Amino acid sequence: MKIINYSILLLLLFFATSCSDVLEKSPLNEISDDAFWNDPVLVSYYINDLYANLPLQQYQLGESRTDNSVHSQRDKWRASSFLYNYNLENADNPSEVTWSTSYENIRKFNRFVEKIELSSLSLEEINSYKGEVYFLRAFTYFELVKRYGGVVLLNEVLSLKDNWEIPRSTEDETYDFIFQDLKKACELLPDYWEGKDKGRATKGAAWALRSRAALYNKRFDEAIEAAKEVYKLGYNLVPGQTPEQYRSIWWTTNKDNSEIIFDKQFSNPDVSNAMLIYHMVTYINDPYGDRGWGGLGPTQNLIDQYELKDGSQAPQFSGKPETEIFDIHESGIYENREPRFYASIVFHGANIWLNGDKGPVAVDRYTMDTPDKGDGSMTGYNVWKWIDYDNYNYPYAGSSSKDHSINWIYFRLAEVILNEAEARVEKGDITGALTAVNKIRSRVGLPNLTETNQIKLRELIRKERRIELAFEDHRFWDIRRWRIGNKTNQGVMSGVRFISPTKFYISNTDTRTWDDRLYYHPIPRSEIVRMNVLEQNPGF
């Protein structure tokens, strides 16, 4: 019995020891925190995932919530996506989910900042990564503040034991937080990246965001100083004396050109940008058939803003009665415009796919792409600007086509220059404002502005900004920060309707309703219910 008992005891001891060894080992299907944050490959994957979450509204709905565009989509989709245009925006079913998605990303940023300090990566790697995360967190908070005003500020990961009842900070406090992150980013980020790392945040990106954020928050001195820092980094305006030169800023064959400061990069089939399909002309002359979904429909009001190439005002058609008929040749509606018009707008008779294997194709708004056809342009116009028609090839681009690899530009030098011009005119520095804005005009061959009255020059600079940055997700935010919604988003939006190959009238395509509550987005009602201290924006 003793032998048996000792044998059992030894067997039990063996199993106890073995189980202890097993339990002390890391699970084979999981990675420990220490292992993760000390692995440079895994850390880089974490960072890459943060970039993948950068905001990009491929439908560009914001532009169609302004006087720049009437979207081609109709019926229920239009009703649900454009409540903003008719003062029907509400907190129960808001048009955007930016609030929740942003805080999901902020938690990831905060987790990175906390964990990377414990990593055994080199100090150079840690600082570079931190610079990127500070930039991305600032970018995310900027996306929040321009929508909601002051928001909940978090710089740490909250646990279940923490107090989650945190009230909104003020709008100025939120901007202070953004500038603190950008100060760190500017100190830690490199001037540029090479090879496969192109597209990551740089000092230029951080300074460009500082310039934009300072302008939005009316910190005009800071906006000017940030612009100066961008200029030191060697960016240059791409030539724009011809439509092709200007459009080349967005060409798939001209990525990473000297004007681009920061963009979201695409390369099919790995990462696809479907904006080409969403906004291409829908109906093309036979025998080519259907192409895209129509998407953005530039308004006649916007068309009227593009000057003639000598700098004089173009013929004005917006607001003309529908009973008045015009001839395309006699009216000169599309003649002698400055390069940005032909670079940015697809109109009746425009030749697109200039370098495609089928040669030029003339857009027909009389028999082919008409408003009565599904996805046909509601206004008689489509966007060209960042759709690379010049290098597009038939047949219709498939999912692996390079045509789906157009990068989305978040910051380019032209915007920074316009930020400086606006900041200077608001400060009363007329000479400085003229110097800045005329850089933009001279690039496309337009004569210099000479206006010295501050109020009039302000309007000219705002007009220049509208034209230069059209369809780049600026107009919606500019209208809100300038508080001009009652002028731009109220009343009829016009387009053209052709009744023969050469005859047209100005059509009323949409009627908008404005209320000042729309200067801010509603915070989703679900968030208000979840947090007792969270206050809703006025009017919602």
Side-chain angles (χ1 to χ4, degrees), residues 174-235:
T174 305
Y175 273 105
D176 286 339
F177 187 93
I178 291 168
F179 292 128
Q180 290 169 12
D181 269 2
L182 289 176
K183 183 177 185 296
K184 298 172 189 174
C186 290
E187 293 169 352
L188 296 173
L189 287 169
D191 290 354
Y192 57 88
W193 294 97
E194 295 285 359
K196 63 180 178 61
D197 288 318
K198 286 184 177 180
R200 306 182 85 91
T202 60
K203 272 185 169 56
W207 282 115
L209 178 53
R210 283 181 73 165
S211 171
R212 185 189 295 178
L215 185 69
Y216 276 45
N217 195 224
K218 302 185 187 306
R219 304 186 191 196
F220 300 125
D221 286 326
E222 291 186 41
I224 293 168
E225 291 306 311
K228 290 179 180 178
E229 293 297 328
V230 172
Y231 303 154
K232 293 177 183 178
L233 295 168
Y235 299 100

Side-chain angles (χ1 to χ4, degrees), residues 40-212:
V41 174
L42 294 179
V43 171
S44 69
Y45 286 165
Y46 191 100
I47 292 287
N48 290 344
D49 180 64
L50 298 181
Y51 279 101
N53 293 329
L54 278 172
L56 172 57
Q57 175 40 262
Q58 292 182 317
Y59 290 111
Q60 287 297 294
L61 300 181
E63 202 79 12
S64 292
R65 294 170 184 152
T66 76
D67 53 349
N68 274 4
S69 170
V70 175
H71 206 278
S72 68
Q73 301 300 315
R74 293 149 167 86
D75 304 325
K76 293 181 180 179
W77 193 89
R78 178 190 289 274
S80 62
S81 298
F82 298 108
L83 296 176
Y84 176 92
N85 289 340
Y86 317 111
N87 191 26
L88 298 173
E89 186 75 11
N90 63 85
D92 294 308
N93 184 32
S95 298
E96 294 188 6
V97 292
T98 304
W99 182 279
S100 58
T101 56
S102 293
Y103 280 105
E104 290 171 9
N105 292 329
I106 287 167
R107 181 177 177 84
K108 294 177 183 178
F109 301 142
N110 293 342
R111 176 174 170 78
F112 181 92
V113 172
E114 290 179 5
K115 295 295 184 179
I116 199 64
E117 294 290 353
L118 308 175
S119 173
S120 62
L121 271 63
S122 70
L123 182 61
E124 181 181 5
E125 288 177 306
I126 290 174
N127 284 339
S128 179
Y129 281 140
K130 284 172 64 178
E132 292 179 76
V133 171
Y134 285 132
F135 167 79
L136 293 170
R137 188 168 70 178
F139 198 140
T140 302
Y141 269 113
F142 179 68
E143 290 297 309
L144 284 169
V145 73
K146 71 183 185 182
R147 287 170 167 82
Y148 304 104
V151 296
V152 177
L153 298 178
L154 300 174
N155 62 1
E156 61 181 357
V157 177
L158 297 181
S159 70
L160 293 177
K161 297 178 181 179
D162 291 318
N163 175 26
W164 287 68
E165 291 289 330
I166 304 172
R168 296 170 63 181
S169 296
T170 66
E171 192 162 339
D172 282 339
E173 288 169 342
T174 305
Y175 273 105
D176 286 339
F177 187 93
I178 291 168
F179 292 128
Q180 290 169 12
D181 269 2
L182 289 176
K183 183 177 185 296
K184 298 172 189 174
C186 290
E187 293 169 352
L188 296 173
L189 287 169
D191 290 354
Y192 57 88
W193 294 97
E194 295 285 359
K196 63 180 178 61
D197 288 318
K198 286 184 177 180
R200 306 182 85 91
T202 60
K203 272 185 169 56
W207 282 115
L209 178 53
R210 283 181 73 165
S211 171
R212 185 189 295 178

